[in-house]
Amino acid sequence: QVQLVESGGGLVQAGGSLRLSCAASGRTFSSYNMGWFRQAPGKDREFVAGISSSGSNTNYADSVKGRFTISRDNAKNTVYLQMNSLKPEDTAVYYCAARLGNFAYKYWGQGTQVTVSS
């Protein structure tokens, strides 16, 4: 069992930056591949970024490439999402999630709201 708690969301102007954090419980955090997802009002949840268990591999949605960076600190059981050059269309609830290998993401946080004003 992994429990995930996101933080760091808020209101920011377009062009600004935020860093989201996701703290995980348990002693097996370093075994999990982690991901960030987001869901805007009236839209489906979408993948934003992923990172392998060791942190050596990352991948991003095209919409955030070059602006967002995912990272993790296994010693702190935490995964981060650094978001730069934010746009109003980045407004959404952001969720972190955990999975083993390439199985479906099994554990989800409660989400943190990010609002980007124009």
Side-chain angles (χ1 to χ4, degrees), residues 3-19:
Q3 292 184 323
L4 304 172
V5 179
E6 301 96 335
S7 62
L11 174 64
V12 64
Q13 288 188 332
S17 298
L18 281 175
R19 187 176 83 154

Side-chain angles (χ1 to χ4, degrees), residues 39-116:
Q39 187 167 20
K43 295 188 177 182
D44 292 335
R45 187 177 297 184
E46 64 174 357
F47 171 80
V48 174
I51 189 167
S52 61
S53 56
S54 67
S56 59
N57 293 305
T58 59
N59 61 311
Y60 299 90
D62 287 344
S63 58
V64 307
K65 277 182 183 176
R67 299 189 298 123
F68 290 10
T69 302
I70 188 171
S71 62
R72 67 189 295 162
D73 185 338
N74 285 344
K76 295 182 178 180
N77 280 14
T78 303
V79 62
Y80 304 97
L81 186 67
Q82 177 67 44
M83 305 186 295
N84 298 329
S85 303
L86 282 161
K87 305 175 181 179
E89 52 263 44
D90 294 317
T91 294
V93 177
Y94 283 71
Y95 300 88
C96 69
R99 66 175 179 174
L100 289 172
N102 290 324
F103 292 101
Y105 283 93
K106 183 175 182 180
Y107 302 105
W108 293 82
Q110 83 290 347
T112 186
Q113 176 71 47
V114 171
T115 303
V116 184

